[in-house]
Amino acid sequence: QAKARGRGTLCVFAAEMDIHLRARLEMELDLSQALAKGQLELAYQPIFTVASGRLCGFEALLRWNHPRRGLIDPAFFVPLAEESRAIVEIGAWAMRGAMADAAKLPDHLRLAINLSPIQIGFGNIVETVRDALRESGVAPGRIELEITETALFANDQPILDILLGLRESGVRIVLDDFGTGYSSLARLRLLPLDKIKIDRSFVHDAGAQSSGEAIIEAIAALASRLGMATTAEGIETPEQWDMVRRARCTEAQGFLLGKPCSPREAAALASAAGAWPANGGCAPAGSS
Ligand code: C2E
Ligand code: MG
Ligand code: MG
Ligand code: MG
């Protein structure tokens, strides 16, 4: 009896796998056409200077407006696009769009763009960045490229040359999601990094009884000694905002301060140009 049930379970499991596989293949096919069909968009999340509470820039975040499934999260489709290497083309498109939008924003605001390890490993990223800079006319110093630890340490030598090449074009290099990988600040200091984004898991772990705050404080202090700025990600509560102020992080980003919004909303926020919380973000959660 157990055996029969076992086999039944296996059949259901196999059928389910088949459905997942089909769905996945279908999504991959859809994704390969998404760019040409104009289904990809950029959302902009505001970033604030901690000391003044003022808006200092935005991070460009990809969105896929799927005709049947609606808005799809990058956490789902970016890995698919990386697997098929469609991310090389999609990433270049995102970069051109983000830089064109940055050129329309006030000069003191910076714009952060995420780079996939696949773009670094398989695309000619230095040339792509230079072309996009030239095409948009944006001042290179306003552009930040966000790279994760996995991308930095995929293979030992080539990445340094690429980072130096990018830096030569005048853009800044930012390490994204710091703390989720295995690299130490000692190892990172060998790379030309301008800023470290502290992963939101530390921010969310920062309560009276936990080590999150101590860790953020230590990262901010050490980064500052090494000449790097810090951004705290994922600020969702006023307590977390107070905490990153105490820890002296340079910048902060999160749903409390402002959610990702449309290019038009971002431009409106930029021209309002006040300090948080007086002027809020695009859609400040829990604002009073
Ligand atoms: P990321 O670069 O770490 O971007 C920050 C993510 O955290 C965004 O998710 C943002 O909406 C989310 N976030 C911001 N504030 C909060 C908060 O207070 N609480 C919580 N829970 N989340 C917050 P999103 O837009 O879904 O993007 C997810 C990831 O997808 C990004 O993480 C980035 O790794 C990747 N991604 C997005 N756009 C691009 C792109 O153009 N190219 C590449 N290669 N990757 C991208
Ligand atoms: Mg990022
Ligand atoms: Mg991040
Ligand atoms: Mg992330």
Side-chain angles (χ1 to χ4, degrees):
Q1 195 201 352
K3 207 172 174 183
R5 194 167 57 220
R7 200 175 296 146
T9 311
L10 195 66
C11 282
V12 172
F13 183 60
E16 243 170 51
M17 259 190 35
D18 190 44
I19 290 166
H20 284 311
L21 195 63
R22 277 161 191 270
R24 194 191 160 89
L25 289 172
E26 200 182 299
M27 289 297 274
E28 272 176 37
L29 183 66
D30 289 350
L31 186 57
S32 69
Q33 303 168 344
L35 192 55
K37 289 185 173 173
Q39 295 164 357
L40 296 180
E41 297 170 10
L42 289 172
Y44 292 97
Q45 185 174 29
I47 303 173
F48 294 83
T49 302
V50 169
S52 65
R54 286 186 179 275
L55 179 72
C56 60
F58 293 91
E59 177 176 4
L61 296 161
L62 267 174
R63 299 286 178 263
W64 180 13
N65 217 330
H66 192 280
R68 278 167 290 114
R69 293 168 198 265
L71 218 54
I72 300 177
D73 217 62
F76 178 75
F77 73 84
V78 167
L80 279 185
E82 286 176 332
E83 213 161 288
S84 67
R85 295 195 193 166
I87 196 67
V88 173
E89 202 189 339
I90 291 173
W93 172 85
M95 186 175 299
R96 286 196 301 274
M99 287 193 194
D101 285 334
K104 290 182 240 157
L105 291 171
D107 283 345
H108 68 282
L109 297 176
R110 290 192 301 269
L111 205 120
I113 300 164
N114 291 285
L115 288 191
S116 156
I118 304 297
Q119 283 175 275
I120 296 168
F122 297 96
N124 190 344
I125 192 64
V126 177
E127 204 170 290
T128 304
V129 169
R130 286 206 184 125
D131 289 348
L133 284 170
R134 199 178 318 122
E135 202 180 300
S136 66
V138 73
R142 295 177 55 200
I143 299 299
E144 298 179 335
L145 301 178
E146 298 194 358
I147 304 177
T148 56
E149 289 171 58
T150 9
L152 286 178
F153 298 112
N155 27 20
D156 288 326
Q157 196 41 50
I159 187 70
L160 185 59
D161 295 337
I162 291 172
L163 294 184
L164 291 172
L166 292 173
R167 264 268 192 97
E168 223 167 272
S169 66
V171 301
R172 297 165 197 235
I173 313 287
V174 178
L175 176 65
D176 204 353
D177 303 336
F178 179 69
T180 55
Y182 298 100
S183 42
S184 63
L185 281 172
R187 192 175 180 198
L188 291 172
R189 81 173 206 291
L190 303 171
L191 296 169
L193 299 173
D194 297 283
K195 191 174 356 188
I196 289 173
K197 292 187 91 164
I198 304 168
D199 192 68
R200 65 167 178 266
S201 55
F202 295 113
V203 172
H204 291 183
D205 188 40
Q209 312 297 330
S210 76
S211 53
E213 178 161 358
I215 292 173
I216 292 171
E217 222 178 275
I219 296 172
L222 194 51
S224 154
R225 286 287 299 271
L226 297 173
M228 294 183 278
T230 43
T231 304
E233 294 186 316
I235 308 301
E236 293 181 352
T237 69
E239 290 74 23
Q240 290 165 353
W241 168 250
D242 287 341
M243 190 268 295
V244 301
R245 278 172 45 169
R246 283 195 300 272
R248 295 173 185 276
C249 291
T250 322
E251 292 166 8
Q253 178 180 358
F255 293 164
L256 175 78
L257 310 170
K259 289 189 171 166
C261 59
S262 70
R264 280 185 59 184
E265 287 172 301
L269 179 64
S271 57
W276 191 88
N279 250 304
C282 298
S287 60
S288 48

